[in-house]
Amino acid sequence: MKLSNNVMSMQFSPIRKFNGYAFDAKKKGKKVYHLNIGQPDISTPPAFLEAVKNFDETVLAYAESGGDTKLIEAVIQYFNRFGAKIETEDILITNGGSEALQMVFSCILDPGDQVMMAEPFYTNYHTFIAAAGGEIAPITTTAEEGYFYADPVKLEKAYTENCKAIAIVNPGNPTGCTLSEADIQVICDFAVKHDLWIVADEVYREFVYDGGKMNTFAKYPAIADRLIIVDSVSKRFSACGARVGFVLTKNKDMQDGLMKIAQGRLCCPTLEMLGAAALYELPGEYFNETRTEYEQRRDCVYRELMKIPGIVCQKPGGAFYIMAKLPVESTDDFLVWLLTEFDDGGETVMYAPAEGFYATPGLGKSEIRIAYILKQEDLVRAIELIRLGLEKYKAEGHR
Ligand SMILES: Cc1ncc(COP(=O)(O)O)c(C=O)c1O
């Protein structure tokens, strides 16, 4: 039996595809420090579970396809903080940011259409875009340049006539790159010039460091009709298992397209939407503590990484990821070796190898993505394990 060309063109996620090796290592009694997945260890605010516990209906019924009214209202109030005026019909609640992205690309793309994206990018965009029949037109960035892409020359170089959209993740996963207001303006002008949709994935909006300003594309009225914002409670409120996200767009045709798909999948989970509404009702100060914690972790990881001879790494301005180029030919091979051959005092480490975060074949083979979602003492040890592993790997003659 034959599978579709779409699914055959997809890859397994580099964030999860080595889990089997980690599982075996743990079965053998090794402790594995996980830096591979963006699963925060920060506690989910108790308001979520309290709201779920207070549910007092006798039937757990289907919700509206567009989402629970209370949640939509809470999201609108949240956006008021940024001076963005959002109406009820502009929001469609989804099963996480992941479903939001799948729906959006299904609405935008026909077979062969392209989406511009800075590479390295959040690897699951490969899957979302391929599932909709599309391809990525990569804006290639490098570790040496700090993965910066909001540059008109770079954008023009990546553009092709098949491009229908430009997708932006700000702050960036996996690079942690953050855009200034001037950078956002460059992207808006470019999108208007080439008549592109702007898909702005802002799931890390609050995680901006060094006193940097939180930004949202929702503040730019000139692009309102081509703008699609994707958002989620997963990272913002450390509630990945809730599976609640949303799409925000003022484009009426897009709203209709999204609603057709939303009605086909009926609705999002009723209880989780109640919990998510309580999260969006939390005051803006809620983020201060989390932001400080992540900023300290970023400083810690960067400091420890810079102790590794031959590493190329820039200090990122946001999200909770850092990319690093290691002095090895293949970070896939090095990771398998770390999980199968190596330990220091019964401990080893797992990162996400970065090749799968690129669209251009051959790029990213020496790079890794680290999610700094552990306590600082664990981060120090995990990076030490990468350093010790590298020393031994090289001493054994691997390249
Ligand atoms: C940039 C980005 N967008 C979207 C998602 C999807 O998140 P979720 O489906 O949990 O909302 C993730 C998850 O890691 C992400 O990093």
Side-chain angles (χ1 to χ4, degrees), residues 62-66 261-268:
Y62 285 127
E64 286 297 317
S65 294
I261 302 176
Q263 289 181 351
R265 64 82 165 107
L266 305 183
C267 67
C268 295

Side-chain angles (χ1 to χ4, degrees), residues 15 38 95-101 122 124-125 128 169-173 201-204 230-235 239-241 243-245 320-321 369:
I15 301 168
N95 290 291
S98 303
E99 190 193 42
L101 287 164
Y122 173 51
N124 290 333
Y125 273 80
F128 304 144
V169 180
N170 183 45
N173 173 8
D201 178 336
E202 299 184 348
V203 304
Y204 299 97
V230 168
D231 216 313
S232 165
V233 301
S234 291
K235 318 292 172 165
C240 297
R243 310 309 304 133
V244 176
F320 43 66
Y321 305 97
R369 185 197 76 168

Side-chain angles (χ1 to χ4, degrees), residues 368-385:
I368 64 172
R369 185 197 76 168
I370 286 171
Y372 42 91
I373 36 61
L374 305 177
K375 291 181 196 58
Q376 285 192 48
E377 67 216 59
D378 290 340
L379 289 171
V380 170
R381 174 64 175 150
I383 308 297
E384 182 187 32
L385 287 165

